[in-house]
Amino acid sequence: MPRIFGAILLAAAATAGVVSAGKHHNIQEYKLIPDPEGQYPRLGACPDPHACILPPDLSTFLPGAYFDLRVELHAYDKENKNATQVTPYTHFKTQVRKDGGPWQDASSFFHMDHEPGLENWNFTWVDSIDARFGSDPGVDVAVSSRIWRKLKFDSPGVYDVSVTYGKKNAYTVRYTVPEPKKPTKKAKNAILFISDGTNVGVSSNLFVPPSHLVVHIS
């Protein structure tokens, strides 16, 4: 019994240490969050109440494929619905890690010389049927955004991107870069078929000689 009780205490201490470490770093470990329900989401593929990361969660990339990383913070107050009284987010941190390793600042992870500047704009969130068809003006949202352009993941793996904002708020997405399959044989013939309107009933009357379609590559 003492050994069992001691094991329970050790497990509890280890769990507390993990939780404490998470709070210390103020980064949310990855957790799949479903898209918001209802007819009037604030923005598609952004399940967090205020944060948005694009490309969205569960995106897949080929090694070396270029993409842009956009992080948006949406400040709003659904009580007064007036963005002029809402302070946009100006301080937030974006970090990246690979395969559960240590977190790095996004600019450092992607070997950028400087952090991109902030962009700001407002939009009106039509959050209800009254805002869409009635007299309700909707919710004014103040956006703060930062974009890292022409990025790439050079090697296969699982990459987490996290944005922390406010005192205890964070949102994390996960990207997958699979190992490309290596073909055993190289293709010698390529068939390229370009058409316009063949989905509206003319394809049955169209005949293209195979000699016009097949290009032999020696």
Side-chain angles (χ1 to χ4, degrees):
M1 181 64 71
R3 293 183 178 179
I4 296 176
F5 183 71
I8 294 174
L9 288 179
L10 288 174
T15 303
V18 171
V19 173
S20 175
K23 289 183 178 180
H24 175 73
H25 293 289
N26 198 27
I27 295 177
Q28 173 188 326
E29 292 299 317
Y30 175 76
K31 179 181 179 182
L32 178 61
I33 303 175
D35 288 339
E37 297 180 354
Q39 291 179 297
Y40 305 101
R42 187 183 78 258
L43 188 62
C46 299
D48 187 84
H50 294 277
C52 184
I53 299 178
L54 298 171
D57 190 18
L58 301 180
S59 294
T60 302
F61 304 85
L62 290 174
Y66 287 107
F67 68 97
D68 294 341
L69 176 65
R70 175 191 290 271
V71 174
E72 293 185 12
L73 273 300
H74 297 174
Y76 57 88
D77 188 344
K78 295 190 70 172
E79 297 299 325
N80 59 38
K81 298 187 176 182
N82 189 345
T84 59
Q85 299 180 16
V86 176
T87 302
Y89 290 98
T90 56
H91 300 287
F92 56 91
K93 182 184 295 184
T94 305
Q95 295 179 282
V96 186
R97 70 176 180 181
K98 178 186 177 184
D99 295 332
W103 291 98
Q104 293 181 250
D105 179 77
S107 298
S108 175
F109 185 90
F110 291 109
H111 308 291
M112 301 187 67
D113 296 333
H114 61 279
E115 189 173 60
L118 277 179
E119 300 178 12
N120 298 97
W121 67 88
N122 291 5
F123 72 91
T124 300
W125 175 16
V126 179
D127 63 326
S128 67
I129 192 171
D130 291 331
R132 184 174 181 84
F133 299 106
S135 58
D136 191 330
V139 180
D140 287 331
V141 182
V143 182
S144 301
S145 173
R146 182 169 281 127
I147 306 175
W148 291 261
R149 298 192 181 277
K150 201 175 182 180
L151 308 179
K152 62 178 179 177
F153 296 121
D154 290 320
S155 58
V158 177
Y159 295 83
D160 294 336
V161 179
S162 181
V163 56
T164 57
Y165 62 98
K167 294 182 179 180
K168 297 182 179 179
N169 300 315
Y171 173 57
T172 302
V173 299
R174 174 160 291 177
Y175 300 147
T176 302
V177 181
E179 180 74 41
K181 295 182 179 180
K182 298 180 180 180
T184 56
K185 296 181 179 179
K186 292 184 179 181
K188 294 184 178 180
N189 295 316
I191 298 177
L192 176 63
F193 182 63
I194 302 176
S195 66
D196 183 15
T198 52
N199 62 337
V200 293
V202 300
S203 57
S204 59
N205 299 323
L206 177 66
F207 174 74
V208 180
S211 60
H212 293 177
L213 293 178
V214 178
V215 179
H216 182 73
I217 302 175
S218 60

